[in-house]
Amino acid sequence: AQKVTQAQTEISVVEKEDVTLDCVYETRDTTYYLFWYKQPPSGELVFLIRRNSFDEQNEISGRYSWNFQKSTSSFNFTITASQVVDSAVYFCALLNYGGATNKLIFGTGTLLAVQP
Amino acid sequence: DAGITQSPRHKVTETGTPVTLRCHQTENHRYMYWYRQDPGHGLRLIHYSYGVKDTDKGEVSDGYSVSRSKTEDFLLTLESATSSQTSVYFCAIRTGGTEAFFGQGTRLTVV
């Protein structure tokens, strides 16, 4: 079975606070990719990061960082010093990369509200 | 810009009528996906395609069919629209780098 769980439905923080968005996944495949996407109020879906199952190195990009832990099947996303422009819905996604089909599924999303 | 276009962008239709949404890509990618987005449910996979005439069901395929007769177009059809199919529909293409890029979405209202 393939599943992505984002248990946090909504998070509200004040600007400059750090915030972590949780993502837990389930898969039986050994080769897979994990993603984070951002959906701002304008509605488009913006790709943020990709991680493959063989690379557990954490990644930092500016104020964004990602922590991938296979032992706990988690791929968490941290925003440091949050800003109002970070307000959006954030989706975690899983791609099983094997065979011909390559199904890509998403979690239910976390709505992040950053208050000024 | 991943060269993906959805049409129409907005549509209002009556219950029981057939509706077809089109996803067009200009970059010859193999994988294409249709999702619906509803409050509290995130993005749910309806159908996807891994090549011309190669399609498979997703999590919420009941009431929907798809066709892909050429690489660039992936059509989603609601055979007989119901109010429960009121939603925002997103098409995505997946590049060789494995990340997916999305169209702008189609807002469908079934009255």
Side-chain angles (χ1 to χ4, degrees), chain B residues 18-91:
Chain B
V19 177
T20 294
L21 308 182
R22 180 183 184 230
C23 179
H24 178 79
Q25 61 153 325
T26 59
E27 301 191 2
N28 210 36
H29 294 300
R30 180 179 176 188
Y31 299 97
M32 299 184 77
Y33 303 81
W34 275 109
Y35 296 88
R36 59 178 290 175
Q37 184 175 17
D38 306 288
H41 293 279
L43 289 159
R44 291 183 291 176
L45 181 63
I46 306 172
H47 282 280
Y48 62 106
S49 171
Y50 45 95
V52 172
K53 298 185 180 178
D54 290 323
T55 65
D56 204 352
K57 296 178 179 180
E59 310 159 87
V60 290
S61 59
D62 287 348
Y64 301 94
S65 62
V66 289
S67 67
R68 193 168 179 201
S69 58
K70 47 186 179 177
T71 301
E72 58 265 36
D73 288 323
F74 191 33
L75 305 180
L76 176 70
T77 298
L78 290 66
E79 301 290 348
S80 177
T82 68
S83 58
S84 65
Q85 293 176 312
T86 292
S87 187
V88 179
Y89 291 85
F90 284 97
C91 175

Side-chain angles (χ1 to χ4, degrees), chain B residues 2 9 78 96 106 108:
Chain B
R9 294 291 314 281
L78 290 66
T106 294
L108 176 68

